[in-house]
Amino acid sequence: MNPVWSLIASGVSAPEGPTLGPDGWILNVCSFSRPDNPSVVGGDIVATHPDRPGDTRRLFNTSAAGVDGIPAALAFGPDGTLYVTDEGHRAILRASHEGDLAVHVRSPNGPNDLSFDREGNLWFTDPWGSSASQAVGGVYVLRAATSVLDRVAHGLAFPNGIVATDEQVVYAETRTSRLWRHRRLGDGGLGDAELFAELPHQDGVDVQGPDGMCPDVHGNLYVAHFGAGCVRVLSPDGSESGVIDVPGRDPTNVCFGGPDMATLFVTLDDTDQVVARAVPHAGQPVRFCPSISTAAAFAGWIDLIEHSPTL
């Protein structure tokens, strides 16, 4: 392990969707099973505290009703429950702090990543089954006030990570190595899609492109560059301002955490690890995050994590 990086969790199968949970815990999904790792299976949602590396707890599994769970991302919502995009269920699931699951919204293809804005609107990408040759992926928003599902974009070659802020919505299109932006308008609408950035592509690497992302307090975007072994830092105008090499080839997603929100956590698909390192700028506070919010609704997650079995 590079001394700059700390190993937080290992043996977590196909990790994705790192998320800051209550009391500093970092949650992540395990998207698929690995034949050589029977202790963690596809569909598992796990948690590790950075102060106790390797003490990884299994919270629950999304497989249910004869469907194999394929979770990809996590976000806490305004109601204090945990929302899980699950491509196996072709739905976003809602998990109570007892680990009980319910379908929150079904998607046309199968959702990958999600982001809540301050109004509680739920933005998500819907890539399952899309590819470079079959660009059928879309981006959607579930309106909190009306429960209406609106399509934001379509015809995308695997839309992936997404971040909704007060000013804009940015999402990745992995198979074209592009990131797109919609500016948010004063009347609540969205501007047309603009090309925000295009990441470099290395010859000879089949699957490579932007995956998950998170912003810092200055509006810079930290983008996991799957297949390229790095996290790229993009300025608010989309230009590249830095590259952070990671100890693996396939970073899938990123999040900020730590007491000062200045620790970057990265999930690595090819090594089945969650790693962390300090970065110069703190992350932007995440909407409805249990480590930031004082809402009593989040309190039950501490008990669930603390009483979950260690892997």
Side-chain angles (χ1 to χ4, degrees):
M1 179 66 61
N2 185 314
V4 173
W5 289 93
S6 298
L7 179 61
I8 303 302
S10 60
V12 282
S13 297
E16 254 267 43
T19 302
L20 179 59
D23 198 30
W25 287 83
I26 299 297
L27 282 61
N28 70 269
V29 309
C30 298
S31 298
F32 300 101
S33 299
R34 306 285 200 206
D36 58 347
N37 183 18
S39 64
V40 181
V41 298
D44 278 348
I45 310 299
V46 302
T48 311
H49 201 285
D51 293 345
R52 302 195 292 276
D55 180 10
T56 299
R57 312 292 182 93
R58 181 187 287 109
L59 307 186
F60 57 88
N61 189 285
T62 63
S63 298
V67 177
D68 290 334
I70 309 176
L74 304 167
F76 284 93
D79 59 351
T81 60
L82 182 66
Y83 290 78
V84 187
T85 59
D86 196 291
E87 292 161 334
H89 287 273
R90 295 192 175 187
I92 295 177
L93 307 177
R94 187 177 65 252
S96 71
H97 52 69
E98 290 86 15
D100 298 325
L101 294 173
V103 171
H104 183 61
V105 61
R106 297 199 180 274
S107 69
N109 299 316
N112 182 281
D113 205 355
L114 72 169
S115 179
F116 282 98
D117 66 19
R118 67 180 178 187
E119 291 85 17
N121 300 312
L122 175 55
W123 304 77
F124 65 93
T125 53
D126 189 51
W128 202 242
S130 64
S131 64
S133 60
Q134 188 173 345
V136 296
V139 178
Y140 294 84
V141 58
L142 182 67
R143 304 288 180 183
T146 62
S147 298
V148 171
L149 184 65
D150 290 333
R151 190 173 70 181
V152 175
H154 63 99
L156 298 170
F158 211 92
N160 206 321
I162 187 169
V163 170
T165 69
D166 293 346
E167 295 80 26
Q168 62 187 12
V169 178
V170 179
Y171 50 88
E173 186 180 16
T174 301
R175 297 312 295 266
T176 64
S177 290
R178 294 172 176 165
L179 291 97
W180 298 94
R181 171 173 64 186
H182 295 262
R183 298 180 191 271
R184 301 188 70 174
L185 307 178
D187 62 0
L190 286 181
D192 293 336
E194 307 170 6
L195 180 62
F196 179 68
E198 189 164 0
L199 304 190
H201 193 95
Q202 296 176 337
D203 292 337
V205 180
D206 181 28
V207 180
Q208 182 182 150
D211 203 320
M213 63 188 84
C214 61
D216 70 14
V217 291
H218 299 292
N220 301 304
L221 203 59
Y222 292 65
V223 182
H225 194 168
F226 187 91
C230 66
V231 173
R232 298 192 184 274
V233 184
L234 304 181
S235 298
D237 64 0
S239 61
E240 186 177 290
S241 60
V243 177
I244 304 172
D245 292 328
V246 300
R249 183 193 63 231
D250 298 331
T252 53
N253 212 329
V254 291
C255 78
F256 284 100
D260 54 3
M261 287 293 286
T263 301
L264 185 69
F265 295 86
V266 183
T267 44
L268 298 171
D269 181 77
D270 57 312
T271 65
D272 286 347
Q273 294 174 334
V274 181
V275 297
R277 63 166 288 175
V279 288
H281 305 299
Q284 200 171 109
V286 180
R287 303 289 183 198
F288 316 116
C289 173
S291 282
I292 298 170
S293 173
T294 58
F298 295 113
W301 285 99
I302 292 289
D303 291 335
L304 178 64
I305 293 172
E306 293 288 0
H307 293 97
S308 293
T310 301
L311 302 182

